Amino acid sequence: MEQNSLRELYIEELKDLYSAENQLLKAIPKMAKASESDELRKGFEQHLEQTRGHVNRLEKIFGNLGESPKGKKCKGMEGLISEGGEMIEEHDESEMRDAGLISAAQRVEHYEIAGYGCVKTYATLLGDDQAASLLEQTLQEEKDTDQKLTQLAESINVDAASGEELEDESETSRSAGRGRSKAARA
Ligand SMILES: [Fe+2]
C-alpha cells in the first residue's frame, strides 16, 4: 500500500476510535450506576478515568498530525453500547445483571483492543513513533481492563449461579416441608 493511502486509513481509524472513546465517556457512568457489585462499579469508574486519558492521547496524536479528530461516528461501538443498554433493561436481578454488564464491557474492550492494535501498527509503519508509543499505552490499559473483567466475572458469575441454586434449594425445602407436615398429620 502507498504511504498516502496508509496515512488516510490511519487517520480514518483514529477518528473511529475517537468517536468510540467519546461514546464510552457517556456510557460508562450508566454501566457503573447499574452495577450491583461495589468492585464492578469501582472498576467502571476507574476505566472512565482511563478513558478520559485515551481521548487526550488521541487529541495529542491528531494535533501532531495537523488533523481534526472529528467527523466520524463509530457504528460498531454504538451497537455494542446499545446491547449493553438492553442488558441493563432486561435484567433487574442483580448478580445476573452484573454478569451481563461484564460480558458487554468485555465486548467493548475486545473491540478497542483490535482497533488500537491496528492503528499502532499503522503508526509504526508510517514512522510516527510518538503516536505508536501513546497508542501502545492505551492498548495496554484496555488489555489490563479486560483481564480485570475476567477476574471479576469469575467471582460474580459464581454468585449469579449460586443465587439460582439457592432459589432451587428453597423450592426443594419448601416441598420437603410440605411432605413433612403431611407426614406429621398422618
Ligand atoms: Fe479506551
Side-chain angles (χ1 to χ4, degrees):
M1 205 191 311
E2 275 180 42
Q3 289 285 97
N4 271 350
S5 345
L6 182 60
R7 188 178 189 273
E8 222 172 275
L9 188 64
Y10 175 51
I11 290 167
E12 229 172 77
E13 294 200 9
L14 284 171
K15 281 181 191 241
D16 204 66
L17 281 165
Y18 187 73
S19 159
E21 296 284 17
N22 276 293
Q23 291 182 52
L24 283 171
L25 285 182
K26 289 187 197 143
I28 296 173
K30 291 180 195 158
M31 295 176 89
K33 210 178 147 198
S35 307
E36 174 75 14
S37 140
D38 286 342
E39 235 183 312
L40 181 59
R41 192 177 50 252
K42 276 182 208 143
F44 278 128
E45 284 163 359
Q46 198 189 346
H47 196 61
L48 179 64
E49 260 328 292
Q50 285 183 329
T51 300
R52 291 195 184 104
H54 299 172
V55 168
N56 289 339
R57 284 187 193 128
L58 288 171
E59 282 170 350
K60 202 165 168 188
I61 294 170
F62 277 107
N64 291 341
L65 288 166
E67 300 276 348
S68 159
K70 294 188 179 139
K72 209 164 187 282
K73 171 120 191 187
C74 177
K75 296 195 193 86
M77 188 55 76
E78 196 180 22
L80 290 173
I81 290 173
S82 129
E83 282 191 4
E86 280 173 18
M87 200 80 81
I88 298 174
E89 278 169 28
E90 283 165 14
H91 303 290
D92 32 307
E93 197 221 317
S94 51
E95 285 102 353
M96 210 167 118
R97 186 196 256 187
D98 276 1
L101 281 170
I102 292 177
S103 134
Q106 286 199 289
R107 282 174 170 77
V108 166
E109 288 315 313
H110 283 237
Y111 187 86
E112 289 195 288
I113 289 167
Y116 278 105
C118 288
V119 287
K120 193 202 127 187
T121 305
Y122 299 159
T124 308
L125 286 171
L126 290 163
D128 193 347
D129 294 341
Q130 198 196 351
S133 134
L134 289 168
L135 295 166
E136 170 59 26
Q137 289 170 46
T138 298
L139 181 60
Q140 209 46 60
E141 286 173 4
E142 308 290 15
K143 285 183 182 170
D144 290 347
T145 302
D146 181 48
Q147 275 183 358
K148 274 186 214 154
L149 285 165
T150 298
Q151 283 164 10
L152 272 175
E154 279 161 12
S155 59
I156 286 173
N157 288 340
V158 165
D159 287 349
S162 65
E164 276 167 29
E165 269 166 32
L166 283 178
E167 268 170 35
D168 290 350
E169 269 167 31
S170 56
E171 184 55 43
T172 328
S173 59
R174 270 199 299 278
S175 14
R178 280 197 295 276
R180 266 199 303 277
S181 55
K182 228 188 244 175
R185 277 199 303 275

